Amino acid sequence: MDYFSLKGKIALVTGATHGIGFEMASALSKAGAKVVFNDRDAEALDRGLKAYENAGIKAHGYLCDVTDETAVTELVKKIEDEVGVVDILVNNAGIIKRIPMTEMSAEEFRQVVDINLTGAFIMAKAVLPSMLKKGGGKIINICSMMSELGRETVSGYAASKGGLKMLTKNIASEYGGANIQCNGIGPGYIATAQTAPLREKQPDGKPHPFDSFIISKTPAGRWGEPGDLAGPVVFLASSASDFINGHILYVDGGILAYIGKQP
């Protein structure tokens, strides 16, 4: 038995047009799954479709905002009609707003929570009925180290990811008896296009201060790569994890285990 095979499975990865979402969806495809993804922006969706095509992956892309419950319900029905029942849901869509709490408006806070947390609830709610009818499924929520830690300027993000951690545990508790496993992945600091400015050399040739800070806090001594999430997402999507439920797998190079060097 190939415990990690996803042959015949259909995987929906939200917001997977680029970055870690694209890498995780690509990994699921290489393991045998049919990949479906969405984005709320038409141009981003087109770029994503081209990226998958260039990677030799036949992916199905749909325009949909995960915070719109009516649109999500219609999306899942369309996927079921055109591709098949979703076996694997990866709630990857998310945003971050780095704003000091005293300067952050309630509207900005709600927007972060709405996409990162409420969107995951809406997506899971939409796929669960068919998973229940089919007799099982996998839901993987992309949490964060900020599901456990706080730091300056990310109050909305940390609140939403902490909530997503508990939503993960509750879905596992509520539907574990129906052979549905809901787990999370908590990425550490990953080297993506979005974090590139934080890793650029300074004019004097020295590393960016934040780059040095992250490396000093990471026992692995480096930033993570998007590919570091490939194995974990395939594991949690496959039968290899059938008795793992309500768990958050932190892929952080050891940051959460490390108190740091003595000054």
Side-chain angles (χ1 to χ4, degrees), residues 1 9 86-88 127-128 130-139 171-183 236-246:
M1 179 178 178
K9 301 295 185 180
V86 173
D87 299 288
I88 302 155
V127 301
L128 275 166
S130 290
M131 286 184 176
L132 289 166
K133 287 179 185 176
K134 195 170 185 177
K138 303 277 187 176
I139 297 174
I171 293 172
S173 301
E174 196 164 351
Y175 297 103
N179 191 34
I180 292 170
Q181 293 85 50
C182 182
N183 294 291
L236 291 177
S238 71
S239 61
S241 60
D242 281 353
F243 201 55
I244 297 172
N245 216 353

Side-chain angles (χ1 to χ4, degrees), residues 4-50:
F4 299 96
S5 173
L6 301 178
K7 188 175 181 181
K9 301 295 185 180
I10 295 168
L12 168 57
V13 186
T14 65
T17 58
H18 64 284
I20 66 171
F22 178 84
E23 290 293 333
M24 289 189 294
S26 298
L28 295 172
S29 174
K30 291 173 184 175
K34 287 184 181 178
V35 169
V36 182
F37 72 100
N38 79 292
D39 201 279
R40 62 180 178 174
D41 180 79
E43 290 184 6
L45 186 71
D46 288 340
R47 286 195 301 270
L49 285 168
K50 289 176 183 176

Side-chain angles (χ1 to χ4, degrees), residues 206-261:
K206 293 181 179 179
H208 190 289
F210 193 81
D211 184 27
S212 299
F213 166 70
I214 292 304
I215 290 175
S216 72
K217 291 292 184 182
T218 307
R222 65 173 178 87
W223 286 65
E225 297 292 338
D228 288 323
L229 299 169
V233 76
V234 169
F235 168 62
L236 291 177
S238 71
S239 61
S241 60
D242 281 353
F243 201 55
I244 297 172
N245 216 353
H247 177 73
I248 313 299
L249 175 56
Y250 291 101
V251 186
D252 65 355
I255 290 180
L256 287 172
Y258 187 44
I259 197 171
K261 292 182 181 178

Side-chain angles (χ1 to χ4, degrees), residues 56-78:
I57 296 170
K58 184 180 179 182
H60 304 263
Y62 294 88
L63 192 65
C64 182
D65 183 341
V66 298
T67 67
D68 185 335
E69 187 170 10
T70 300
V72 168
T73 301
E74 292 173 355
L75 167 69
V76 172
K77 185 180 185 306
K78 194 170 185 181

